Amino acid sequence: METILDGKSLITAEMIATSLPRGKLEHHSEAFETARVELALILHATHQQIEQRKDPAEIIRRLTSYLSATRSKVHPDVWQALIPVVQNHPVLEYFLEDPLTRWSHDKPRGYSGDAQLLDYIYCDPHVAESVANASETGKALYSHTKDVPSSIAARERRDLLTRYVDKIATENGPQAEVLAIAAGHLREANRSAALREGRLKRWVALDQDPQSVGLITRDFQGTAVEAIDGSVRTVLTRGHKLGKFDFIYASGLYDYLAHNVAVKLTKTCLQMLKPNGTFLFANYAEGNPDAGYWETFMDWVLLLRSEADMWNIINASVDRNTVEAQVFFGENRNVLYGVIEKRG
């Protein structure tokens, strides 16, 4: 898969799915039929719980747990065939009362994982009105989805980025330059002491979504933040003369990039670093307990990676003798980070 995020080839579940190795379902027909029957029973039981007005948080917790277990035990081809079974079931409408699930499923901006979705996960004030206007069931479901492990990991990721930026600013002084690729709404900047205290020369926020670029421009007017409309293609082709940076990061982008594109982007970012500069990329980790719910009710498909996958990207991108590199899990072990420091 040649992944291009440029406003023309936007991220879709179908696009991500085509990048995953798939065989033919007829090789797994018996396993599929068994799993389909089990899934139908679970969905029927869920429907009964909904009609009985059981606690929404408990309903979604049980179903998420079942979907995670099923995704883990069946062949990927079988799981892919089960996804439409869930998405075409009447219980879908119940879970779409959750504003986070609804936004992800409906994709108002035309693609998966947009910045507004992250605002729901961040519990950002910009979505407070939308949450307040949700039904009581929707609010109860959101109280669960906003605090599942993957949501907690996303907030941890945001705060880790803030710490990195502030550390880079402290080490490099007021000439420090930062580049965020696929910046979204740049919520990590809201918490940055370095930005607030004017200790950055510039913080370039690159994003393919004009709405995100416009919001960053509005919210950070008069600061070191500079919002630019651009994509992976822009970076790979050096479409903008962005210059060199002390810190470059891509915190939510690699979840959508096939290995070969991830390597190309990593190589390019390393070329854009100053001596002793740092590049960070993040990826949701294999075994994420929320992936079953994401891929069905939220219609949000990510390329989950292992530690070995992260190292494969690093090792294919750079001579390890010229850099310091590490791969580590975030606090709740649902996000992996790759960090490459360029030696001076």
Side-chain angles (χ1 to χ4, degrees):
M1 179 186 69
E2 182 183 356
T3 308
I4 301 174
L5 301 115
D6 58 359
K8 299 174 183 175
S9 286
L10 292 170
I11 303 160
T12 65
E14 293 77 16
M15 184 190 81
I16 300 297
T18 60
S19 75
L20 303 173
R22 296 285 177 249
K24 294 183 178 179
L25 185 59
E26 53 260 35
H27 297 157
H28 311 281
S29 56
E30 185 175 341
F32 168 70
E33 190 56 31
T34 300
R36 187 191 64 79
V37 170
E38 291 178 358
L39 180 59
L41 290 172
I42 292 296
L43 292 173
H44 177 69
T46 300
H47 195 258
Q48 288 183 318
Q49 293 166 6
I50 293 169
E51 290 183 328
Q52 294 165 5
R53 299 185 182 279
K54 300 284 188 181
D55 176 32
E58 183 61 20
I59 291 174
I60 193 172
R61 186 194 65 77
R62 288 179 179 175
L63 186 56
T64 298
S65 178
Y66 172 78
L67 291 172
S68 177
T70 301
R71 186 182 184 277
S72 297
K73 75 179 182 180
V74 302
H75 190 277
D77 294 343
V78 173
W79 174 250
Q80 286 300 310
L82 291 173
I83 289 175
V85 176
V86 178
Q87 293 177 338
N88 292 319
H89 195 277
V91 298
L92 173 67
E93 288 303 318
Y94 175 82
F95 295 101
L96 292 183
E97 291 190 49
D98 167 29
L100 193 164
T101 301
R102 166 71 74 175
W103 187 275
S104 181
H105 176 274
D106 290 356
K107 299 175 179 41
R109 293 195 183 180
Y111 63 100
S112 293
D114 63 49
Q116 182 87 346
L117 175 64
L118 286 177
D119 278 354
Y120 282 111
I121 291 172
Y122 293 159
C123 308
D124 191 85
H126 290 79
V127 299
E129 183 178 354
S130 171
V131 173
N133 290 334
S135 66
E136 290 308 307
T137 295
K139 291 187 182 76
L141 291 171
Y142 178 66
S143 72
H144 175 84
T145 55
K146 73 178 177 63
D147 283 332
V148 296
S150 58
S151 295
I152 293 170
R155 295 194 289 271
E156 290 174 354
R157 183 183 64 191
R158 174 201 59 197
D159 295 343
L160 181 143
L161 294 173
T162 303
R163 291 196 298 273
Y164 260 90
V165 170
D166 286 355
K167 176 175 177 285
I168 296 291
T170 298
E171 293 174 350
N172 292 275
Q175 294 303 304
E177 298 176 90
V178 176
L179 170 62
I181 300 175
H185 290 160
L186 203 72
R187 295 303 184 203
E188 58 272 17
N190 293 330
R191 297 164 177 245
S192 170
L195 181 67
R196 186 170 59 251
E197 296 165 5
R199 294 189 285 112
L200 289 168
K201 181 179 179 180
R202 61 177 182 145
W203 189 339
V204 176
L206 186 78
D207 201 272
Q208 64 161 0
D209 189 331
Q211 291 188 58
S212 293
V213 172
L215 186 144
I216 293 172
T217 300
R218 182 196 71 193
D219 286 358
F220 295 101
Q221 187 175 11
T223 73
V225 172
E226 176 186 351
I228 296 178
D229 192 348
S231 65
V232 172
R233 181 193 292 183
T234 305
V235 177
L236 293 178
T237 62
R238 302 295 183 94
H240 291 304
K241 304 302 180 185
L242 298 174
K244 299 276 189 175
F245 297 89
D246 299 286
F247 181 46
I248 300 174
Y249 65 92
S251 64
L253 180 59
Y254 279 61
D255 296 297
Y256 305 99
L257 300 183
H259 173 80
N260 63 324
V261 183
V263 169
K264 288 179 183 177
L265 181 59
T266 302
K267 287 181 176 179
T268 303
C269 288
L270 292 172
Q271 293 168 5
M272 297 168 65
L273 284 178
K274 298 177 186 178
N276 300 311
T278 300
F279 174 62
L280 178 150
F281 65 102
N283 212 114
Y284 270 111
E286 267 186 0
N288 189 293
D290 304 311
Y293 184 84
W294 286 348
E295 294 174 3
T296 52
F297 291 99
M298 294 177 71
D299 192 30
W300 187 20
V301 182
L302 303 178
L303 299 177
L304 305 180
R305 286 191 161 97
S306 65
E307 287 180 273
D309 294 330
M310 300 289 277
W311 277 117
N312 287 341
I313 292 172
I314 292 172
N315 291 332
S317 302
V318 67
D319 178 354
R320 288 280 297 281
N321 294 317
T322 64
V323 301
E324 297 291 338
Q326 60 175 318
V327 170
F328 60 92
F329 281 97
E331 291 178 41
N332 79 349
R333 300 189 67 79
N334 280 284
V335 170
L336 277 162
Y337 298 91
V339 178
I340 306 172
E341 297 180 9
K342 190 174 184 179
R343 292 174 183 162

